[in-house]
Amino acid sequence: MISVPMSLNAVVRLNVADAIWQGGSNTPLSASQILQRIASTGSDPENLQRILRMLTSYGVFEEHLTNESSPLDGSASERKYSLTEIGKTLVTDADGLSYAPYVLQHHQDALMKAWPLVHEAVLDPTTEAFVKANGEPAYDYYGKQEEMNELMLKAMSGVSVPFMKAMLDGYDGFKGVERLVDVGGSAGDCLKMILKKYPGVRHGINFDLPEVVAKAPNIPGVTHVGGDMFKSIPDGDAIFMKWILTTWTDNECKLIMENCYKALPEGGKLIACEPVLPKDSDDSHRTRALLEGDIFVMTIYRAKGKHRTGEEFMQLGQSVGFSHFRAFHVDYFYTVLEFQK
């Protein structure tokens, strides 16, 4: 039911996770106590408790039954709530980041309007459901809506930083690289983290659309370059990209990867971080999340853009000339794909 994601949206908007966390205490609180920290008088603790109970069943909160009688329903036990490991991802960290904006980003009006049209991707794959609902492609739409675009960038930072930390802890493929190009690098945050971990990377090229890099901040060791990845990509010992290929068709991916191949020396490599589908359609949480993400891409970005299996990624690489392929699982959801020339 839509009640699950919308209730998650509600607790994000109400800032419930930060209210419970309180700098790391994570002390179990009743709905009334939570509202004392986040809302003005007149708010309804019983309705908040109904939301918290439901999300407890999905592992976002942990429920604690106390010996005190409940002022909400008169029962012998009062319900209090703390954050689970999942709930903690919604807590704002010292840098102002969390997974919370990622929740809000997916539930904006323009995206929600597209979901009743998922069946259109089957009947007419030439036009995305988002386009049919809003009149233009998602990225064009975002570009004209400053608030929407800012939320998307904040959402990407919130999920990108934890992934990059996991990647840099579990993957050492940047050793020996001196000139690194980040395709679709936005503000250069990923390059900044890579250069900090690998000082041997003497020159980072943050490559993105001209209007994107025009707003990028100055980062020591990084040059911001504007361009179009479908036309050409700056030269480098290695090329890095994160969550790029999944939103494009097979032919578009081939063109992007072919331009990467041309920009690399012999022995150079393309390092791509992408969601990789399992071969079997099992009922694990990871498989469900990956397949749900695939439907999101189909509905919002490209009807024929898609999540792919490792075998499909390998075949795409071979089709443009890459002779070696390896996959590294360094994160619960995403995989590091290494294509070597």
Side-chain angles (χ1 to χ4, degrees):
M1 285 189 181
I2 199 169
S3 55
V4 179
M6 291 300 99
S7 293
L8 191 62
N9 184 292
V11 298
V12 168
R13 290 183 180 277
L14 291 169
N15 208 23
V16 169
D18 284 346
I20 296 174
W21 187 242
Q22 289 291 301
S25 66
N26 200 23
T27 303
L29 300 176
S30 67
S32 297
Q33 290 170 324
I34 292 170
L35 284 178
Q36 288 173 8
R37 299 182 176 187
I38 63 174
S40 58
T41 56
S43 302
D44 192 320
E46 183 182 15
N47 283 349
L48 176 58
Q49 179 174 281
R50 293 163 70 184
I51 293 171
L52 296 172
R53 285 196 71 185
M54 192 273 288
L55 290 176
T56 294
S57 74
Y58 279 85
V60 180
F61 301 101
E62 182 177 353
E63 188 175 75
H64 309 262
L65 294 177
T66 72
N67 294 324
E68 305 164 12
S69 61
S70 172
L72 300 184
D73 56 17
S75 60
S77 299
E78 184 176 30
R79 301 177 190 275
K80 293 189 176 183
Y81 299 89
S82 61
L83 301 173
T84 63
E85 291 303 310
I86 293 173
K88 290 174 187 176
T89 66
L90 303 176
V91 174
T92 307
D93 68 13
D95 297 317
L97 300 176
S98 79
Y99 276 42
Y102 193 68
V103 173
L104 298 181
Q105 192 263 332
H106 280 75
H107 299 155
Q108 295 175 98
D109 290 347
L111 278 73
M112 295 296 292
K113 285 168 61 179
W115 282 108
L117 303 176
V118 175
H119 67 286
E120 293 285 352
V122 178
L123 299 174
D124 176 19
T126 62
T127 307
E128 288 70 38
F130 185 96
V131 175
K132 290 179 178 178
N134 297 286
E136 58 185 329
Y139 285 123
D140 294 342
Y141 190 94
Y142 292 163
K144 297 174 183 176
Q145 307 285 333
E146 185 174 352
E147 185 176 337
M148 193 174 184
N149 195 47
E150 286 179 0
L151 178 59
M152 186 181 73
L153 292 175
K154 192 172 182 180
M156 290 301 100
S157 294
V159 296
S160 180
V161 171
F163 168 77
M164 286 301 299
K165 289 179 179 177
M167 179 196 177
L168 292 172
D169 285 342
Y171 173 75
D172 63 0
F174 296 106
K175 286 182 179 178
V177 174
E178 293 187 1
R179 182 181 172 91
L180 177 65
V181 180
D182 184 357
V183 175
S186 190
D189 292 332
C190 292
L191 269 180
K192 186 177 179 180
M193 294 178 72
I194 294 170
L195 266 61
K196 183 178 180 180
K197 178 74 180 280
Y198 292 95
V201 180
R202 299 179 181 178
H203 194 186
I205 307 294
N206 181 42
F207 182 66
D208 212 315
L209 294 171
E211 59 267 31
V212 174
V213 296
K215 299 178 181 178
N218 181 53
I219 301 172
V222 174
T223 302
H224 300 294
V225 177
D228 182 346
M229 65 184 176
F230 290 105
K231 295 180 179 178
S232 66
I233 289 172
D235 295 344
D237 302 333
I239 295 172
F240 174 73
M241 61 175 63
K242 178 171 59 60
W243 313 336
I244 299 294
L245 299 175
T246 191
T247 54
W248 300 103
T249 66
D250 286 345
N251 286 336
E252 290 164 337
C253 284
K254 287 179 182 179
L255 183 54
I256 295 167
M257 296 174 77
E258 185 177 352
N259 287 336
C260 290
Y261 187 87
K262 292 175 182 177
L264 291 167
E266 198 64 34
K269 56 191 173 184
L270 164 62
I271 303 165
C273 303
E274 301 288 344
V276 175
L277 293 177
K279 182 179 179 181
D280 298 326
S281 304
D282 60 69
D283 63 355
S284 68
H285 180 272
R286 183 177 188 275
T287 296
R288 285 177 176 174
L290 286 163
L291 293 172
E292 288 167 9
D294 184 45
I295 303 303
F296 176 78
V297 169
M298 180 182 77
T299 304
I300 304 301
Y301 292 119
R302 297 285 283 176
K304 298 299 287 182
K306 58 185 179 181
H307 290 2
R308 296 172 174 86
T309 64
E311 179 73 19
E312 288 173 316
F313 276 116
M314 182 178 70
Q315 291 173 357
L316 283 174
Q318 290 174 341
S319 72
V320 301
F322 287 106
S323 55
H324 300 285
F325 171 81
R326 294 193 296 171
F328 302 85
H329 298 278
V330 298
D331 170 84
Y332 183 76
F333 191 72
Y334 296 102
T335 303
V336 179
L337 306 171
E338 190 179 272
F339 304 87
Q340 191 162 16
K341 186 172 178 179

